[in-house]
Each structure stands twice: as C-alpha cells, then as structure tokens.
Amino acid sequence: MQIQIGDQTLTLNIQYSKRKKISLQIDGAGRLNVKAPKGTADEVILHAVQGHSAWITEKLRGLEAARQVPQPKEYQEEGSFLYLGKEYPLHKLIETGEQDAEALKLELKKFYFNSLKKVIAGRMPQYQNQLKVKPKSFEIVESRTKWGSCSADKKLTFNYRLAMAPPEVIDYVIIHELCHLLHMNHDRSFWRRLGSIMPDYKDKEEFLARFGGFMTL
C-alpha cells in the first residue's frame, strides 16, 4: 500500500496483530512501518497515516539532513562525536587537556578500539549460546570496507568504527560473523539462521549502508 505525503510517495510496511490502536514508526532507513489491529480496513490505515503527515514529513527531513556530507570533525572539548549511537562532546569520551587535534584524534581512536572490545566481549556470549558456536578469537581492527569478518580458522574481526553505532547494530554484526562459523557463504541457510536470531536484520544492514559514512574520524 502506498500513500502520498507532500512530494513523496511512501510505501507502507503494515503489520497486523492483536492490538487496539494503530501505531506509526519511521526506521533509520526512512521506511514507514505501521502496526494495526487485525482486520483494520485500508482506508482506516490511510486516514491514520494522513493524520500524522506533518510528523512524518519532519521525521523524513531529519533523516535526509543526517545523510548529507559529513562535516569536518572539530577536535576540541565541545566537538561532537558518536558513541553507541549517541552524540557526546569530546571531553565526555576522552581526556582532552592541552593536546593538539592529531593527538586527540589518536586518543579517540584508542578509546573506540578499547570500548568496542569491551562491548563485544560483553554482548557476544549470549549469541554464541543461541547459535551454539564459539570463535577461536576476536579482535578489533581498522578497515575501510568491512564491518566485520570471519576467517576459515574461526577468528573474527570487527571494525573499530562500530563503536559509533547503536548497540543493536553492533549486535547485528556480531550475529552476522558468528553465523559464518556455521555457513561461510551468504547462502539461504546463512540468512535463515541469522534471521532466526535477529528477524529485523535488514534494518540494521540499511542503517550501516545509509549512515556508515558518518561513523568516521
């Protein structure tokens, strides 16, 4: 089902369930998700969506603005940097002191490396248990092209820039690489297994595709 909001034609992703009210949500990929009670007529859903057209337009404009070319980073105390999906002034993440921009950039990178290692060490065991797999090791690396990898000898790597992503996106990459311990290729079995642990994994993929370019130093 599609609807015209302003100058955009949006496709509605509708999920019916045992609920009393219609709810709307716009995800990081800019998709309009609608949850509606079972048996709700199409015209009722369209009317509800149209009633929130101003809110939808504002949300979509915000997402579009976020996709613009990243601004140069300001390596000073109040410079804004991402950590686990939220923005923080630099001095909240590292000690700034009297260091110059290059030194601060290096310290911030170290912070991301160390923090991501702790985050993954804390979050990976639950997914190992669910998948009944165990990697030989994992390490944090710097990569321009990959968010994670799994080698034939069961060693995992994760891009330090994931420290800037929301926790659920980090979880997606963890699960993705753990699934490669069962299926080295991206065949149907791989995606079915991944989907059994994280049904909305496509949302996480689209988040990285759209916003990964902003997760940088």
Side-chain angles (χ1 to χ4, degrees), residues 3-217:
I3 188 172
Q4 189 75 24
I5 300 291
D7 58 355
Q8 297 189 65
T9 300
L10 303 178
T11 298
L12 305 183
N13 177 31
I14 305 173
Q15 298 178 356
Y16 298 96
S17 62
K18 292 181 179 179
R19 55 187 299 119
K20 294 182 178 181
K21 297 181 179 180
I22 294 174
S23 69
L24 309 179
Q25 184 255 338
I26 297 177
D27 61 26
R31 294 183 301 190
L32 182 54
N33 300 310
V34 181
K35 294 183 179 180
K38 287 183 178 180
T40 304
D42 289 352
E43 55 267 26
V44 173
I45 293 175
L46 290 174
H47 180 74
V49 173
Q50 289 170 339
H52 290 81
S53 59
W55 174 81
I56 293 170
T57 299
E58 181 181 354
K59 284 287 186 181
L60 292 175
R61 284 176 179 170
L63 286 173
E64 186 60 34
R67 297 179 193 134
Q68 302 304 312
V69 177
Q71 297 299 312
K73 303 292 186 181
E74 296 183 4
Y75 288 92
Q76 53 179 308
E77 283 196 359
E78 297 302 326
S80 182
F81 292 86
L82 287 169
Y83 178 55
L84 299 182
K86 298 180 180 180
E87 290 192 346
Y88 294 89
L90 184 59
H91 70 87
K92 292 288 187 179
L93 302 178
I94 63 172
E95 291 289 337
T96 52
E98 298 297 326
Q99 301 182 81
D100 61 22
E102 283 302 314
L104 290 173
K105 183 176 181 179
L106 180 59
E107 286 300 314
L108 184 58
K109 181 180 287 189
K110 289 180 181 178
F111 168 80
Y112 285 138
F113 265 83
N114 294 332
S115 296
L116 183 63
K117 188 172 184 177
K118 293 177 182 177
V119 169
I120 291 179
R123 300 178 79 86
M124 188 157 59
Q126 62 176 313
Y127 300 119
Q128 288 181 203
N129 293 336
Q130 286 179 266
L131 292 164
K132 295 181 173 57
V133 297
K134 186 176 181 180
K136 185 175 182 179
S137 64
F138 81 88
E139 65 176 323
I140 311 303
V141 300
E142 181 171 1
S143 173
R144 291 184 178 181
T145 59
K146 294 181 178 180
W147 293 109
S149 69
C150 174
S151 68
D153 57 355
K154 299 185 178 182
K155 294 181 179 179
L156 309 185
T157 66
F158 298 95
N159 193 325
Y160 83 93
R161 294 191 292 122
L162 280 172
M164 305 177 202
E168 61 271 19
V169 175
I170 298 175
D171 286 349
Y172 160 69
V173 180
I174 292 173
I175 297 168
H176 186 115
E177 301 312 327
L178 287 175
C179 283
H180 277 312
L181 296 174
L182 300 170
H183 309 281
M184 284 302 292
N185 298 316
H186 291 112
D187 56 13
R188 289 184 179 179
S189 297
F190 170 86
W191 293 113
R192 279 199 298 268
R193 194 69 185 97
L194 195 159
S196 71
I197 304 298
M198 180 174 278
D200 62 346
Y201 71 87
K202 289 185 178 180
D203 292 343
K204 313 305 186 290
E205 285 188 323
E206 291 190 20
F207 179 94
L208 289 171
R210 290 177 178 269
F211 302 109
F214 295 88
M215 292 157 47
T216 187
L217 295 181

